[in-house]
Amino acid sequence: MNAQTQVELPVGAVAWLPPQLSIIVPTFNERDNVALLYEKLAETFGSTPFEMIVVDDNSPDGTAAAVKALQRNHPNIRCLQRIGRRGLASACIEGISASAAPFFAVMDADHQHDEKILPAMLERAMAGDDIVVATRYAAGGSAGEGFSATRAAGSQLATRLSTLLTGANLSDPMSGFFLMRREVFDEVAPSLSDDGFKILLDILVSAMRYRKANGQALRIGEVPYEFRQRHAGDSKMSPLIVVQFLGLLLSKMTAGLLPTSFLLFALVGGTGLVVHLVTLTLANALFHPPFWISQTVAALVSMTSNFFLNNELTYADKKLRGLRLIVGLISFYAVCSFGLIANVSVANLVYGFDHQLYLAAIIGVIMSVVFNYAVTRVFTWR
Ligand code: GDD
Ligand code: MN
């Protein structure tokens, strides 16, 4: 460059200051919430440099476009737009990984989380807390207006379960609102589970384990706040997400040995058995067909229901649609048929040893679940 090159700064541009805090905001259909959220954050932080990183799963309502429109006027906003992907936990992980500030926070876009407590959370982290959880239950805080009665009860139950799991007595381990120093995240990032809704719980469990193994303590702080009503749009919480969450808890109880997707796959397999028996009984009662016909029909019906349940629940993040759904269904039938061969041959082998009927049957079933899981992950839900 020679000295004649002049760079003109846009009017109002100020010297860039590295952000102290990155605020990660996962979004799905939050178009009408993002601009106001940024305004509230900017007001809260004043001259403290922060950045807002929105991770949007290509929302049909155009959230990403709305964020990018803001980004043109504010250097401290970024949008990570993920195409063809879904999932709250993985969105948070990617947003956190894309930031470099010494501290980061995760919060919802819908204004349910009170941004005004962020400076207090940051202060605690700067004073040495590894993870600061914004909590809806501690004295002074409240689950108040933003929570339905069933949702509150479910949340309490989940809180107890996770206390069991983490061994830490936290008032709100299911919070979607927390702040932490980035090294703590870097320690555990490789062991986090990509699926699910409860990223904080996963981070807590993993960080506890990591620190324990290294003989260090984990300092967790809590800052109470009042959970508000959602501003615009709808919640993405659903019964499916609750079942997925139970799968995550179980998976963590096996120290991740059994992946959540395997547990969900096995659960769906269990429902398939019920569907099979019901279909068999109905077919027999209604049409009195030869056994092999009713057995074949029952197998087809249960494989089909298993396929759709897995597509919704186990693989919600890579859900097949359109033509890929049909191809997937056919490959699922094919894999399950091979799975049946695996089942019968292994069961037969075990039965040959000491003629334990039920033991042989159970091992055969486990064999086919493992086989179907492993192979459909390669051929059906890639
Ligand atoms: N990128 C992305 N992908 N974002 C998502 C997805 C997704 O698949 N699903 C939800 N989000 C975003 C929403 O747009 C919102 O900003 C935030 O994640 C939380 O989603 P809500 O649908 O508003 O969840 P909620 O209010 O029912 O649940 C909240 O409370 C739970 C505690 O009961 C969340 O804070 C949870 O994280 C929290 O555990
Ligand atoms: Mn919400």
Side-chain angles (χ1 to χ4, degrees), residues 16 18-25 49-55 75-80 90-107 178-186 189 203:
W16 178 78
Q20 193 46 356
L21 176 70
S22 297
I23 298 164
I24 315 300
V25 183
F50 75 97
E51 67 178 350
M52 174 168 110
I53 301 182
V54 176
V55 189
N76 58 342
I77 299 183
R78 259 193 294 155
C79 179
L80 247 157
S90 67
C92 295
I93 293 173
E94 277 166 45
I96 297 164
S97 307
S99 74
F103 299 94
F104 69 82
V106 172
M107 77 187 290
F178 59 97
L179 183 151
M180 59 193 278
R181 55 179 63 246
R182 81 162 317 101
E183 301 95 81
V184 185
F185 175 79
D186 293 341
I203 292 179

Side-chain angles (χ1 to χ4, degrees), residues 4-27:
Q4 278 140 348
T5 321
Q6 284 268 329
V7 180
E8 267 200 39
L9 285 178
V11 181
V14 289
W16 178 78
L17 286 172
Q20 193 46 356
L21 176 70
S22 297
I23 298 164
I24 315 300
V25 183
T27 58

Side-chain angles (χ1 to χ4, degrees), residues 108 110 112 227 230 235:
D108 292 356
D110 57 7
Q112 288 194 285
F227 196 52
R230 172 177 259 282
S235 168

Side-chain angles (χ1 to χ4, degrees), residues 291-305:
F291 175 72
W292 73 269
I293 292 189
S294 47
Q295 176 71 352
T296 308
V297 169
L300 275 173
V301 171
S302 61
M303 281 194 283
T304 310
S305 76

